Amino acid sequence: MYKTIESSGISKSFGPTKALDEISFSVNESEVFGFIGPDGAGKTTLFRIITTLLLPDKGEIKVLGLDCKADYKKLRKNIGYMPGRFSLYQDLTVEENLNFYATVFGTTIEENYDLISDIYSHIEPFKKRLAGKLSGGMKQKLALSCALIHKPELLVLDEPTTGVDAVSRSEFWDMLAKLRQHKITILVSTPYMDEAMRCDRVALIQGGKILAIDTPQKIREGFSKKLFSARASEKYKLIKALKQFHNTLTAYPFGDSVHVTFMNDTIDDSLYDHLKTSGINDAYITETEAGIEDRFLELMNKPE
Amino acid sequence: MDNKVIKVRNLVKRFGKFVANDNLTFDVHEGEIFGFLGANGAGKTTAIRILSGLLEPTSGEVIVAGFNAGRESEQIKKNIGYMCQKFSLYEDLTVKENITLYGGIYGLKTSVIRNRIHELLEKLHFREYENRLISALPLGLRQKLAFSVAVLHEPKIVFLDEPTGGVDPITRRQFWEMIYETAAKGITVFVTTHYMDEAEYCDRISIMSEGKIVALDTPENLKKQFNAGTVEEVFIKIARPNISPIHNS
């Protein structure tokens, strides 16, 4: 099968900092592929290499079947890149920005309008407004429109939802879902673990290394322990008490409960006795399914 | 007994014709972890700037740590701590220099600062980083240090504006344990976040929309009131009723 991205052993250092350490992965055509990881994981460096803006120190990478170094000019014509920081011209209007990007790539707004219409229609009523005067959500829609206007085969989105509220994040993913019908391959990075569920496949990345690559479902199933969810009215006390219990392996707050794993994968009376001694009489513990973030935490803790 | 450390009555803030804060009324209690939520542009930042004495309200009464936000903003600044995601510590100063600088700004005695540096470095397992530049620290450590510095002078209230943005999942949780510890000491924590799971860790949360507070209660009660399983669902129902949460794609 044709691979949109194929990379093996990519490394990149900045002085003493190893930003990427032997990164290997491939992305299939028309796939929504997510890089999930915190700040400093290496996501932006990797995306800059993929978009031919940076050369790796080591390793092989082909994008759309082309070499990122030798064929960079050809490649750039077929990639749409939305960097993490808003980088459109603030002193041009919405329409001028879009027109500019279209012209640079030798096309027109009209020619590819159907591709961006779902997104651009939201901001079109404000097309005479300066880009610098737009709200965050509108800037994001304009940036996405500009990245798409030349009908790229590969769309690269670097943390499009960072600092964005939960509702706008959800709306953004709805827009990406609609883009799928145009068969564009989408590569996206995010620090929000819940967004993994919106991708076909994801790579969990931390400290320049890939911890796991798979479908979100398979990654969740990779969780190696039985996971329990514990609740009590005094949550901080509960976390502390669970951490002190001799059989506890990990205890992490997760929303309104605490996710716990035990060395022997079971809960018995000794746990409830321990909690009672610690002053918790209303503990309610049930088995639960691991999510992406549970698995991420497990992989982060795994000794190398 | 009045244990309200923040008391807001009919707060209005206008910028020209635009009403950023539209008649806000709420209280925050001593030692409470208060989550201040809202969509981008809902007016959170404006409200925090008023509460921390950086901006004057157009009208209404705002009392923070016993002082009036309009007339006594300088006293407020001495009694609060503040940290945000974007700026917190000087990157070209070392860990020790930053602590010393902030201690000095807050008017702590040199001997007290020296003790605090020692305590902090021990508590955060930071000894080896003492003379390291902030710019050379991983983000997670930086944020934990920034929080510790924000409460260095043991303020009555600490404001945390998206303190965990982009932080890895383990550090994010360690950070919240620091918040719990701080609140247990009686320091009120006023926090904003885009992580809806973190909203569940708060004692009470308020949700802003278009300049108004549209919901304020414990996470438990809000979920009941909005017939929702999580705070994220509550948030989405309030902010935009016709949208599904992230994970139900």
Side-chain angles (χ1 to χ4, degrees), chain B residues 177-192:
Chain B
E177 286 185 31
M178 289 175 71
I179 290 181
Y180 279 126
E181 250 174 63
T182 304
K185 278 194 272 180
I187 297 177
T188 302
V189 181
F190 192 98
V191 58
T192 74

Side-chain angles (χ1 to χ4, degrees), chain A residues 170-186:
Chain A
S170 193
E171 284 176 338
F172 190 81
W173 279 96
D174 290 342
M175 286 193 301
L176 293 189
K178 279 191 187 161
L179 275 179
R180 308 191 64 145
Q181 57 186 329
H182 297 283
K183 304 261 180 238
I184 294 175
T185 308
I186 301 176

Side-chain angles (χ1 to χ4, degrees), chain A:
Chain A
M1 192 171 36
Y2 176 75
K3 299 281 186 197
T4 300
I5 302 177
E6 200 148 29
S7 115
S8 70
I10 296 283
S11 293
K12 178 78 188 175
S13 293
F14 299 101
T17 312
K18 225 172 191 183
L20 295 174
D21 189 5
E22 299 276 325
I23 296 280
S24 301
F25 70 101
S26 62
V27 176
N28 302 318
E29 210 179 335
S30 311
E31 188 170 46
V32 177
F33 191 97
F35 272 89
I36 319 277
D39 286 4
K43 304 187 297 290
T44 298
T45 302
L46 180 63
F47 280 19
R48 292 177 63 83
I49 289 172
I50 290 165
T51 51
T52 77
L53 299 172
L54 203 63
L55 289 173
D57 298 335
K58 244 181 33 178
E60 298 292 315
I61 180 155
K62 281 204 160 172
V63 178
L64 302 170
L66 299 167
D67 186 278
C68 281
K69 191 175 176 185
D71 303 321
Y72 78 96
K73 279 190 181 166
K74 214 167 156 192
L75 195 47
R76 284 183 188 181
K77 286 189 185 128
N78 292 308
I79 297 179
Y81 174 47
M82 186 170 145
R85 208 171 280 179
F86 183 72
S87 35
L88 301 178
Y89 298 93
Q90 314 249 4
D91 50 352
L92 294 184
T93 65
V94 167
E95 195 178 31
E96 283 166 347
N97 265 294
L98 190 59
N99 220 342
F100 175 78
Y101 277 86
T103 312
V104 165
F105 285 103
T107 182
T108 59
I109 298 177
E110 294 72 35
E111 194 173 337
N112 292 320
Y113 188 81
D114 68 309
L115 186 62
I116 61 162
S117 64
D118 268 336
I119 302 154
Y120 188 60
S121 60
H122 294 277
I123 49 173
E124 213 169 1
F126 311 100
K127 63 183 179 187
K128 300 287 180 208
R129 193 177 287 187
L130 292 183
K133 301 262 182 214
L134 295 176
S135 72
M138 283 159 77
K139 276 183 182 164
Q140 193 189 40
K141 290 187 178 89
L142 176 59
L144 186 56
S145 301
C146 289
L148 281 167
I149 195 60
H150 59 298
K151 207 169 188 192
E153 287 176 61
L154 171 66
L155 181 64
V156 179
L157 308 170
D158 193 8
E159 298 208 24
T161 56
T162 291
V164 172
D165 67 71
V167 176
S168 309
R169 289 204 284 131
S170 193
E171 284 176 338
F172 190 81
W173 279 96
D174 290 342
M175 286 193 301
L176 293 189
K178 279 191 187 161
L179 275 179
R180 308 191 64 145
Q181 57 186 329
H182 297 283
K183 304 261 180 238
I184 294 175
T185 308
I186 301 176
L187 187 67
V188 58
S189 68
T190 177
Y192 295 103
M193 306 274 152
D194 55 351
E195 294 179 5
M197 299 313 284
R198 294 284 196 116
C199 302
D200 296 319
R201 286 193 308 140
V202 294
L204 305 186
I205 183 168
Q206 158 90 2
K209 287 194 169 107
I210 290 180
L211 304 174
I213 304 183
D214 217 321
T215 62
Q217 190 52 36
K218 283 268 167 57
I219 285 188
R220 294 170 61 189
E221 287 165 11
F223 195 78
S224 68
K225 302 291 290 177
K226 253 190 195 168
L227 186 68
F228 295 92
S229 158
R231 278 164 221 263
S233 48
E234 290 185 79
K235 204 184 304 156
Y236 183 44
K237 220 168 170 184
L238 175 68
I239 296 167
K240 281 207 282 195
L242 284 168
K243 282 190 173 173
Q244 282 157 4
F245 184 55
H246 64 92
N247 201 10
T248 300
L249 200 58
T250 59
Y252 291 114
F254 258 83
D256 64 348
S257 67
V258 180
H259 283 188
V260 211
T261 59
F262 301 101
M263 289 174 208
N264 60 357
D265 280 334
T266 50
I267 41 174
D268 51 32
D269 288 346
S270 70
L271 171 62
Y272 287 101
D273 290 344
H274 167 80
L275 292 177
K276 264 185 200 135
T277 323
S278 314
I280 296 159
N281 295 309
D282 62 347
Y284 177 70
I285 305 172
T286 51
E287 207 180 319
T288 189
E289 266 183 42
I292 294 284
E293 192 156 358
D294 292 296
R295 181 63 178 145
F296 198 101
L297 285 163
E298 185 177 47
L299 288 165
M300 276 181 83
N301 281 325
K302 206 175 68 180
E304 289 187 23

Side-chain angles (χ1 to χ4, degrees), chain B residues 41-165:
Chain B
K44 300 190 300 287
T45 303
T46 301
I48 290 179
R49 290 176 65 84
I50 291 171
L51 291 174
S52 49
L54 296 172
L55 205 62
E56 268 191 47
T58 306
S59 65
E61 190 186 33
V62 178
I63 308 287
V64 177
F67 299 102
N68 185 291
R71 294 190 303 273
E72 302 167 304
S73 57
E74 288 312 308
Q75 277 94 324
I76 288 181
K77 288 178 199 166
K78 285 181 192 145
N79 285 286
I80 61 165
Y82 177 81
M83 105 167 238
C84 72
Q85 189 197 351
K86 287 185 195 93
F87 174 79
S88 37
L89 300 170
Y90 291 91
E91 298 212 349
D92 48 356
L93 295 182
T94 65
V95 169
K96 196 175 161 184
E97 286 166 345
N98 265 287
I99 303 176
T100 311
L101 173 69
Y102 277 97
I105 290 173
Y106 291 133
L108 301 182
K109 288 203 187 96
T110 316
S111 58
V112 176
I113 295 175
R114 211 178 301 132
N115 287 340
R116 293 278 159 82
I117 290 177
H118 183 76
E119 279 168 27
L120 256 182
L121 295 178
E122 287 298 315
K123 197 180 101 188
L124 298 173
H125 308 292
F126 244 56
R127 270 260 156 257
E128 52 177 314
Y129 296 110
E130 182 172 350
N131 294 311
R132 200 84 67 89
L133 290 182
I134 296 298
S135 57
L137 290 187
L139 177 79
L141 289 184
R142 224 189 278 193
Q143 296 302 81
K144 280 196 262 182
L145 179 65
F147 179 50
S148 305
V149 168
V151 294
L152 196 66
H153 55 308
E154 293 176 339
K156 293 206 171 70
I157 307 155
V158 60
F159 291 94
L160 309 174
D161 198 358
E162 282 183 48
T164 55

